[in-house]
Amino acid sequence: MKLPGHDAMARRVDEHLAPTRILLPRRVVDRPIRQVVKRLLMALLVLAVTVLIVWSDRSGYHDAADGSVDLLDAVYYSTVTLSTTGYGDITPYSDGARLTNVLLVTPLRVLFLIILVGTTLEVLTERTREDFRLNRWRTNLREHTVVVGFGTKGRSAIQTLCATGLKKEQIVIVDPATKVIEAANAEGFVGVVGDATRSEVLLRAELQKARQIIIATQRDDTAVLVTLTARQLNRGAKIVAAVREEENAPLLRQSGADAVITSASAAGRLLGLSVLSPSAGTVMEDLIQQGSGLDLVERPVIKAEVGKSVRETDDLVVSVLRGHRLIGYDDPSASPLQLTDRLITIARASGDAQSLNTSHRQGG
């Protein structure tokens, strides 16, 4: 296992000690800053209209300082009037000016206050609403899937899960980059910003209640640390991890991963197969691309199949899962089939295949 030195790892961990945040997907609405700016412009518009009204009827106003009202006095009077300060140094004395204040300036004052108070209340209640959404999310979340890393591998894994019927609400993504989590939010996923090697970050993702965990980090040493931490927090979850180097796969299994995928070797084998037989490579790529063409499906043995051989089933059986033992279709011990067995089959992608995968995920 090629691990960096202790100092290098310590520096890397320190870089990720930024505050952890949970970002829930939002509906497409204006940002709070944009809303504040819009309301500020509305308030300025109300002020400008009031200034125009006062300035047009300036002869009906009296300034205690010099007796006349100019443009600056109109702006001053409008400002203190709308803000309900009202120093009284400039007052409407004619009947027309007083009627204008009653019919126009007073409603504008009320509108001005509504805009300011509404903006203040929205800013103050934004955190409360966010906390409420977060608490409700935590309460309803269980048996979900945690995906660590939203790069190419993580995205592909999520696409496969969604193709089998898993809802976006049941997926939580953990990544140290805020922009990555914001991109995940834009696609409808809940995201946690933080370093997944830290227990507190995984706990924010409610990993202790997760059913399955996918670890798709960029570095193998990070994958090992995340796997160790995840297994410590959740003993019963299924953990699938990806590594770049095949020599690191055994260490991932020792750390608690149930399955380890070597991305570099898998891609290399697919390339080699495609060179030897492009058609065979196309079939293999179709098999691993869920939801189109042919799919690999894991399903339970039905009662009508109990006691039969593997070749007597209606589906093309590849392997038989008996307990924790995976038996090949050509192994004599695979037959007869038992009620507790599960079959790995090749099936045409359809709603039925997806429903079988979904039932496996929920009840298997």
Side-chain angles (χ1 to χ4, degrees), residues 117-193:
V117 172
T119 302
T120 303
L121 289 177
E122 182 169 356
V123 171
L124 292 177
T125 57
E126 178 70 22
R127 181 60 182 272
T128 302
R129 289 201 303 267
E130 192 67 21
D131 289 344
F132 174 77
R133 292 182 65 216
L134 193 56
N135 290 332
R136 185 176 60 181
W137 170 76
R138 283 198 176 109
T139 301
N140 296 331
L141 189 66
R142 58 179 56 86
E143 298 293 312
H144 58 290
T145 300
V146 176
V147 180
V148 179
F150 197 57
T152 302
K153 292 179 290 187
R155 287 175 182 268
S156 299
I158 291 173
Q159 289 175 359
T160 300
L161 292 174
C162 291
T164 62
L166 185 64
K167 297 180 179 179
K168 290 183 177 181
E169 294 79 8
Q170 286 298 108
I171 298 176
V172 181
I173 298 170
V174 181
D175 198 280
T178 302
K179 290 184 178 180
V180 172
I181 295 301
E182 289 177 349
N185 284 167
E187 296 182 23
F189 299 104
V190 176
V192 178
V193 180

Side-chain angles (χ1 to χ4, degrees), residues 26-327:
R26 297 171 175 265
R27 297 183 181 92
V28 180
V29 295
D30 289 340
R31 295 177 179 271
I33 295 179
R34 184 177 300 175
Q35 293 179 2
V36 172
V37 171
K38 287 172 62 176
R39 295 193 179 189
L40 179 59
L41 293 176
M42 291 172 61
L44 292 176
L45 178 61
V46 171
L47 177 60
V49 171
T50 307
V51 171
L52 181 62
I53 292 174
V54 175
W55 173 248
S56 63
D57 194 25
R58 57 188 179 278
S59 60
Y61 291 81
H62 180 267
D63 186 356
D66 55 14
S68 62
V69 175
D70 57 16
L71 180 59
L72 179 59
D73 293 332
V75 174
Y76 166 75
Y77 174 79
S78 300
T79 303
V80 297
T81 299
L82 292 179
S83 62
T84 68
T85 304
Y87 294 111
D89 48 352
I90 300 178
T91 57
Y93 69 90
S94 69
D95 292 340
R98 291 178 179 180
L99 184 61
T100 300
N101 264 261
V102 172
L103 298 179
L104 296 178
V105 176
T106 298
L108 289 172
R109 181 191 301 120
V110 175
L111 178 60
F112 186 82
L113 292 176
I114 289 175
I115 293 173
L116 293 184
V117 172
T119 302
T120 303
L121 289 177
E122 182 169 356
V123 171
L124 292 177
T125 57
E126 178 70 22
R127 181 60 182 272
T128 302
R129 289 201 303 267
E130 192 67 21
D131 289 344
F132 174 77
R133 292 182 65 216
L134 193 56
N135 290 332
R136 185 176 60 181
W137 170 76
R138 283 198 176 109
T139 301
N140 296 331
L141 189 66
R142 58 179 56 86
E143 298 293 312
H144 58 290
T145 300
V146 176
V147 180
V148 179
F150 197 57
T152 302
K153 292 179 290 187
R155 287 175 182 268
S156 299
I158 291 173
Q159 289 175 359
T160 300
L161 292 174
C162 291
T164 62
L166 185 64
K167 297 180 179 179
K168 290 183 177 181
E169 294 79 8
Q170 286 298 108
I171 298 176
V172 181
I173 298 170
V174 181
D175 198 280
T178 302
K179 290 184 178 180
V180 172
I181 295 301
E182 289 177 349
N185 284 167
E187 296 182 23
F189 299 104
V190 176
V192 178
V193 180
D195 182 5
T197 61
R198 298 164 58 196
S199 299
E200 63 185 64
V201 174
L202 296 180
L203 288 175
R204 285 182 175 270
E206 300 295 321
L207 182 136
Q208 70 277 12
K209 298 189 296 183
R211 181 181 182 85
Q212 48 201 13
I213 304 163
I214 297 176
I215 300 174
T217 58
Q218 298 298 322
R219 295 166 55 102
D220 288 3
D221 58 326
T222 304
V224 172
L225 293 175
V226 174
T227 302
L228 285 169
T229 307
R231 182 54 74 196
Q232 182 181 17
L233 296 175
N234 192 327
R235 298 291 182 181
K238 179 185 293 184
I239 299 180
V240 179
V243 292
R244 292 178 177 272
E245 303 296 334
E246 193 166 2
E247 64 186 48
N248 297 330
L251 184 55
L252 261 296
R253 295 188 180 92
Q254 294 175 10
S255 301
D258 298 292
V260 180
I261 307 299
T262 307
S263 56
S265 298
R269 283 191 287 268
L270 185 58
L271 286 172
L273 178 62
S274 299
V275 169
L276 297 174
S277 173
S279 299
T282 301
V283 172
M284 285 300 301
E285 188 174 4
D286 184 22
L287 285 175
I288 63 178
Q289 186 174 356
Q290 199 73 18
S292 64
L294 298 175
D295 283 345
L296 280 174
V297 178
E298 179 179 335
R299 66 170 181 83
V301 172
I302 60 177
K303 291 184 179 180
E305 295 172 334
V306 175
K308 294 183 178 181
S309 68
V310 170
R311 300 183 184 276
E312 292 177 318
T313 62
D314 294 333
D315 297 331
L316 180 59
V317 178
V318 178
S319 299
V320 177
L321 181 61
R322 182 168 297 156
H324 295 287
R325 182 187 175 196
L326 191 63
I327 308 173

